[in-house]
């Protein structure tokens, strides 16, 4: 018997591609740092940021200082714009996301979140409109482990006090999450409702899993 649904966050519950982007190219422009110099440090600290070993503000400060581009004004502007951009993602939800979560709760099931994310994203997630729906929140930057590692799935199941067979996992398929969750013993669904020409090449369909074209299809499957 299914007792919980575990979700991925990005490109599953929210998407980057319905609002203005503020990725490394945009931050480099505001920093007035050559993109290759910005990206070298940004990409080079990806693991540290994902695992909570470095904060977003620490990395931006380092980039500005090491490229002789430091100013408090630029630093504050980048931090502010990054936070505001992440907050706006929750204003552009697929119209069925909230009804889907309500439908899952109406079935008496728990809802959990496993997300690979950075500290500035974690802060936004925890105060978002979706946060009250989660019985368990497992964020890589807070736990020091990330998908597809077994540890983050084990932690989530431990917090839910459920076995893998009592849970289903729903995500877009990034970070080998579907393979990891199914290998753990969970039934998996691929969330395809945010797939679009804007993220083509970033997201891809996996025929090994049931593909859902709209959030409410998941409720029907439970």
């Amino acid at each position: 018997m299914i007792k919980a649904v575990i979700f991925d966050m990005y490109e599953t519950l929210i998407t980057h591609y319905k609002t203005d982007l503020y990725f490394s190219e945009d931050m480099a422009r505001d920093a007035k740092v050559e993109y290759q110099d910005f990206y070298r440090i940004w990409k080079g600290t990806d693991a540290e940021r994902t695992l909570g070993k470095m904060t977003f503000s620490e990395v931006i400060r380092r980039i500005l200082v090491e490229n002789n581009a430091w100013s408090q004004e630029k630093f504050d502007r980048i931090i502010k714009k990054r936070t505001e951009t992440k907050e706006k993602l929750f204003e552009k939800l697929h119209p069925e996301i909230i009804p889907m979560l309500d439908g899952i709760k109406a079935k008496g099931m728990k809802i959990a979140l496993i997300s690979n994310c950075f500290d500035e994203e974690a802060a936004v997630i925890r105060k978002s409109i979706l946060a009250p729906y989660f019985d368990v929140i497992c964020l890589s930057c807070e736990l020091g482990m990330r998908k597809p590692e077994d540890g983050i799935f084990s932690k989530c199941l431990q917090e839910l006090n459920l076995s893998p067979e009592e849970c289903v996992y729903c995500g877009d398929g990034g970070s080998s999450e579907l393979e990891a969750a199914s290998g753990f013993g969970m039934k998996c669904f691929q969330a395809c409702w945010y797939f679009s020409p804007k993220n083509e090449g970033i997201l891809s369909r996996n025929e090994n899993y049931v593909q859902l074209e709209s959030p409410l299809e998941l409720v029907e499957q439970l």
Side-chain angles (χ1 to χ4, degrees):
M1 179 180 178
I2 300 302
K3 297 182 179 180
V5 180
I6 303 173
F7 285 102
D8 167 49
M9 176 58 81
Y10 292 100
E11 309 315 316
T12 299
L13 295 177
I14 60 175
T15 179
H16 284 104
Y17 300 95
K18 287 184 178 292
T19 61
D20 293 335
L21 301 178
Y22 195 61
F23 288 164
S24 54
E25 298 94 332
D26 311 291
M27 290 186 282
R29 191 178 308 114
D30 282 346
K32 294 182 170 54
V33 171
E34 291 292 330
Y35 178 61
Q36 62 268 25
D37 296 324
F38 187 102
Y39 188 74
R40 175 179 54 81
I41 298 174
W42 179 255
K43 185 63 176 177
T45 59
D46 183 84
E48 288 86 351
R49 289 181 290 116
T50 303
L51 297 174
K53 296 178 180 179
M54 291 189 73
T55 67
F56 174 66
S57 60
E58 287 171 342
V59 173
I60 296 302
R61 185 181 299 274
R62 175 183 165 188
I63 290 170
L64 292 171
V65 169
E66 291 189 11
N67 287 279
N68 298 312
W70 169 261
S71 82
Q72 188 69 47
E73 180 183 358
K74 283 193 285 188
F75 176 81
D76 291 343
R77 180 167 62 250
I78 293 168
I79 299 299
K80 183 173 184 289
K81 287 178 71 173
R82 176 78 167 181
T83 300
E84 290 177 344
T85 302
K86 295 297 180 178
E87 290 172 340
K88 287 179 181 177
L89 303 184
F90 292 89
E91 299 173 6
K92 297 292 183 179
L93 300 175
H94 187 292
E96 291 184 7
I97 292 294
I98 296 297
M100 172 187 68
L101 297 175
D102 285 334
I104 295 169
K105 288 293 189 182
K107 289 178 176 286
M109 296 179 182
K110 294 180 178 180
I111 299 176
L113 175 70
I114 298 178
S115 182
N116 288 354
C117 64
F118 310 135
D119 72 296
E120 78 277 14
E121 297 173 318
V124 173
I125 288 170
R126 287 194 172 277
K127 67 177 185 180
S128 73
I129 189 174
L130 300 185
Y133 284 97
F134 302 129
D135 297 283
V136 172
I137 297 177
C138 292
L139 306 179
S140 65
C141 63
E142 296 177 350
L143 297 175
M145 48 190 169
R146 59 182 173 177
K147 296 179 293 184
E149 296 170 7
D150 286 351
I152 198 163
F153 291 96
S154 294
K155 175 65 173 177
C156 186
L157 292 169
Q158 179 184 355
E159 293 291 323
L160 287 168
N161 194 28
L162 294 174
S163 67
E165 294 75 21
E166 294 175 304
C167 302
V168 301
Y169 186 87
C170 182
D172 65 272
S175 302
S176 300
E177 60 186 355
L178 299 176
E179 292 84 352
S182 61
F184 226 77
M186 287 183 266
K187 182 176 182 180
C188 294
F189 297 93
Q190 185 176 28
C192 299
W193 48 77
Y194 283 131
F195 283 34
S196 74
K198 288 186 178 180
N199 53 39
E200 188 176 0
I202 299 172
L203 304 180
S204 60
R205 292 178 179 270
N206 190 328
E207 302 296 337
N208 294 319
Y209 302 97
V210 176
Q211 297 174 9
L212 304 177
E213 306 302 326
S214 69
L216 286 177
E217 286 183 34
L218 177 61
V219 181
E220 296 171 3
Q221 292 276 351
L222 297 175

